Amino acid sequence: MSGGDAPTTPPLASGPGGPDALRPLLATVLDALATGAEERGGPLPAGGPETVTARVADALGDALPDTGDPDALHTLVRTLAAGAADPADPLCAAHLHCPPLAVAAAADLAASALNPSLDSWDQAPAASALEAAVARTLARTAGLADALVTTGGTESNQLALLLAREAHGTDVRLVCGTAAHHSLPRAAWLLGLPDPVLIPTPRGTLDPAALDETLTALPGPVLVAATAGTTDTGLIDPLPEIAGLCTAHGARLHIDAAYGAGLLFSDRHRDKLAGLEAAHTVTLDLHKLGWQPVAAGLLAVARPGELTTLHQHTDYLNADDDSEAGLPDLLGRSLRTTRRPDILKIAVTLRTLGRSGLGALADQVCARAREFAALIREHPGFELYAPPVISTVLFRPAEADDTAVAAVRRRLLHEGRAVLGRARPDGRLWLKVTVLNPHTRPDDLAHLLKLAEGSTPA
């Protein structure tokens, strides 16, 4: 061996020395986040994709250098913050992309530091018990019996179709409206199911009369997918009527409530989800109207016995004699093997805020959306699509064509001044604002409308 100092082993995030190792690193991260946000100076970086890519390349340099850089944490976090579309900025309001609560992000740090993996009990003793209890509570809040934790709406919808296939056979056919989430027809394709039947939704929701006609003419097992909070318009299908038709025709019902499920916490708005309890499966997603860091999805099920279809056996994770000895078997709780404890941040949030606290946040963003719709309705230069049902508002410059509407959005993005979404619910292009930030104030919304007005081509 040659002489010289031995390389220093980097500290770990957990164990006896973990907290002391993390403290100075957290200070570095917080400083970098603040510095990056100050450099950005708005809801997203100005200059467009080429400018952002060049800044990232300059900060990154050699992604795998021969010798490490002790300043990499500050440099890259600062760069990411400076180049972020920040959902905590009231002018960043395009997507179902919420600003996470600070308490949830803090809990997520603990999950990362402890790093339990929910594929066997001996890797996650407390996390597995916590997940089972909290998932069951959320399922019962929706009127169902149990729930699995997922990465979000797409995985939950795919799981719902998988359970339907295993319960009713490979010829089960998906029926949904054209306004349903794109992950549903895609899941049917991935699972080898027949081509879905897509019912036109010219008014944005699934029409019970059209559904009745479709179910009457359609032979074989059917899975109807309704939506409680469409991504384009935030509309909720008539769930009680749809549930009644499914019962009458012997069809299975899945409800995609990835967006709307947060209304369950609200005394004022939960009645909009009447009928949810009649579903066989329900998609929930708390990184939308739940203010969680990604990912925080669930699939609630009415019949927990159907989950046995997910069971897998591998001796190193769930040996028969271990299960007989009382060690919980976790492999049947997901399609994934390694899983992080996303339930921790959810549990901390539920306990910290309670149902009333989360309900107040839901009420607040819904109220702000209605106020924004009122501003648009009263402005002669803009057209409102419809009053918001949840917290999504569509609008467009009056008399503008689709090219001009698209130009408004891209100009604001390029200048880094606002993040607006886009939707085409009626064949015309609309600007979309989704209010998910409970700190948004009425003057923020007035400023957003003024920005859109000033960016409209003459």
Side-chain angles (χ1 to χ4, degrees):
M1 286 181 62
S2 61
D5 295 335
T8 301
T9 303
L12 301 177
S14 58
D20 287 337
L22 281 172
R23 283 190 182 94
L25 296 176
L26 289 178
T28 298
V29 166
L30 296 175
D31 179 74
L33 286 172
T35 303
E38 186 178 354
E39 290 177 1
R40 186 181 65 245
L44 81 165
E50 291 184 2
T51 300
V52 173
T53 300
R55 289 173 182 163
V56 170
D58 182 61
L60 181 62
D62 184 352
L64 185 61
D66 289 334
T67 303
D69 176 7
D71 294 325
L73 178 63
H74 190 279
T75 299
L76 293 181
V77 171
R78 174 180 174 177
T79 301
L80 193 68
D86 183 5
D89 190 303
L91 302 181
C92 185
H95 302 288
L96 288 166
H97 177 200
C98 72
L101 294 167
V103 71
D108 215 27
L109 169 64
S112 294
L114 293 169
N115 209 29
S117 178
L118 283 145
D119 48 334
S120 66
W121 183 87
D122 58 349
Q123 297 176 78
S128 61
L130 186 69
E131 181 180 82
V134 176
R136 194 176 304 117
T137 295
L138 286 168
R140 290 173 178 171
T141 301
L144 280 73
D146 199 1
L148 303 181
V149 175
T150 70
T151 53
T154 294
E155 184 186 349
S156 293
N157 286 341
Q158 185 175 346
L159 264 175
L161 266 67
L162 174 62
L163 293 179
R165 187 190 73 179
E166 295 307 296
H168 301 286
T170 56
D171 58 343
V172 66
R173 176 161 286 183
L174 171 67
V175 174
C176 61
T178 52
H181 195 265
H182 63 85
S183 63
L184 286 160
R186 190 179 190 207
W189 167 69
L190 286 168
L191 293 167
L193 300 180
D195 289 342
V197 177
L198 302 180
I199 299 176
T201 53
R203 296 180 180 174
T205 57
L206 188 56
D207 176 36
L211 177 61
D212 188 25
E213 183 179 344
T214 299
L215 293 179
T216 300
L218 199 61
V222 170
L223 169 66
V224 173
T227 305
T230 57
T231 51
D232 271 357
T233 55
L235 299 179
I236 297 174
D237 287 339
L239 303 179
E241 293 87 345
I242 291 171
L245 287 170
C246 287
T247 299
H249 288 277
R252 185 181 177 98
L253 175 60
H254 170 64
I255 298 177
D256 178 2
Y259 179 11
L263 299 182
L264 287 169
F265 303 120
S266 166
D267 291 337
R268 184 176 303 169
H269 294 288
R270 77 159 58 94
D271 286 349
K272 294 176 180 177
L273 299 181
L276 205 66
E277 70 285 348
H280 293 80
T281 51
V282 174
T283 288
L284 313 172
D285 196 345
L286 296 180
H287 57 248
K288 295 181 173 63
L289 271 183
W291 299 279
Q292 298 299 295
V294 174
L298 298 102
L299 178 72
V301 297
R303 302 171 181 173
E306 291 185 346
L307 299 179
T308 58
T309 194
L310 301 178
H311 177 75
Q312 291 288 307
H313 180 270
T314 182
D315 194 71
Y316 80 100
L317 292 176
N318 59 350
D320 289 339
D321 56 320
D322 276 349
S323 297
E324 291 167 4
L327 297 185
D329 179 356
L330 305 184
L331 284 187
R333 301 292 299 179
S334 179
L335 289 177
R336 294 170 286 145
T337 303
T338 300
R339 293 191 294 119
R340 73 190 304 271
D342 288 316
I343 202 68
L344 175 61
K345 61 199 175 194
I346 297 172
V348 167
T349 301
L350 297 179
R351 286 280 294 170
T352 302
L353 274 70
R355 188 178 62 80
S356 62
L358 284 164
L361 296 182
D363 291 347
Q364 196 155 332
V365 296
C366 290
R368 289 292 93 82
R370 291 195 302 271
E371 291 168 5
F372 186 52
L375 285 177
I376 295 164
R377 190 184 300 111
E378 295 165 3
H379 196 300
F382 288 99
E383 179 182 355
L384 176 69
Y385 176 73
V389 172
I390 307 179
S391 65
T392 296
V393 181
L394 301 188
F395 68 106
R396 54 181 284 140
E399 309 301 329
D401 60 17
D402 286 357
T403 299
V405 174
V408 170
R409 175 177 175 271
R410 286 195 289 267
R411 180 178 297 175
L412 290 172
L413 287 174
H414 186 80
E415 294 172 354
R417 294 198 291 167
V419 188
L420 299 177
R422 54 183 288 161
R424 200 182 289 272
D426 60 355
R428 295 189 296 164
L429 185 63
W430 296 78
L431 299 172
K432 179 174 72 169
V433 164
T434 307
V435 184
L436 289 180
N437 183 350
H439 289 270
T440 298
R441 304 182 308 274
D443 58 326
D444 294 320
L445 299 172
H447 182 48
L448 184 58
L449 194 60
K450 193 171 185 64
L451 288 174
E453 181 182 20
S455 296
T456 303

